[in-house]
Amino acid sequence: MEPAAVALAARSSLSSDQRRYLQDCYEAVHAADRDHFRPFDARFHIALAEVTGSPSLASTVADARAAASELLDAIPYLDKNIHHSDEQHAAILQAVLTGDADTARSVMEEHLEGTAALLRGFLAAQ
């Protein structure tokens, strides 16, 4: 659902307020310390869905993020992973802001698969 959301966001005619909102959400997660990274990360993902103009899509992404938060909190914070996530967030934001739906979708798919792989590896080691 998130890959579809970012593709839709990239295809949308975003207002200057929506563009600023996405940029602000990105900057917040980019600047977040370890104690605040996860909430700002979730906020960025939800914001991408919100700017599509579809309340049901935004709600679905928010629900999925809430459901996954406990699992995500189980992943240890590694600077390498946070840096990689930040690079992907920047690429997603850039693709959305430039209207590149295919890249937005592709990078989001890679981003989510990377998170899923971290979860699988961490949970298998438990």
Side-chain angles (χ1 to χ4, degrees):
M1 106 201 72
E2 287 190 62
V6 296
L8 181 58
R11 288 188 194 100
S12 299
S13 295
L14 300 176
S15 70
S16 59
D17 286 345
Q18 288 173 311
R19 290 171 174 277
R20 181 80 247 154
Y21 175 56
L22 290 177
Q23 188 68 40
D24 289 348
C25 288
Y26 166 76
E27 289 173 10
V29 71
H30 174 72
D33 61 26
R34 289 177 180 224
D35 292 337
H36 298 99
F37 176 80
R38 296 262 195 256
F40 284 117
D41 177 54
R43 177 76 247 146
F44 177 67
H45 283 257
I46 294 165
L48 289 162
E50 287 174 333
V51 300
T52 67
S54 171
S56 62
L57 183 57
S59 177
T60 300
V61 170
D63 289 347
R65 285 269 141 191
S69 68
E70 185 176 325
L71 287 174
L72 291 172
D73 286 344
I75 300 174
Y77 289 97
L78 301 174
D79 290 335
K80 178 176 130 179
N81 294 348
I82 291 174
H83 178 73
H84 185 62
S85 177
D86 187 56
E87 288 176 344
Q88 289 175 321
H89 286 160
I92 292 163
L93 177 63
Q94 180 65 24
V96 167
L97 294 179
T98 60
D100 187 348
D102 292 337
T103 297
R105 178 188 295 272
S106 175
V107 177
M108 181 60 83
E109 287 171 348
E110 180 183 322
H111 181 58
L112 295 175
E113 180 50 41
T115 301
L118 283 172
L119 277 170
R120 286 190 299 270
F122 181 74
L123 294 174
Q126 296 300 311

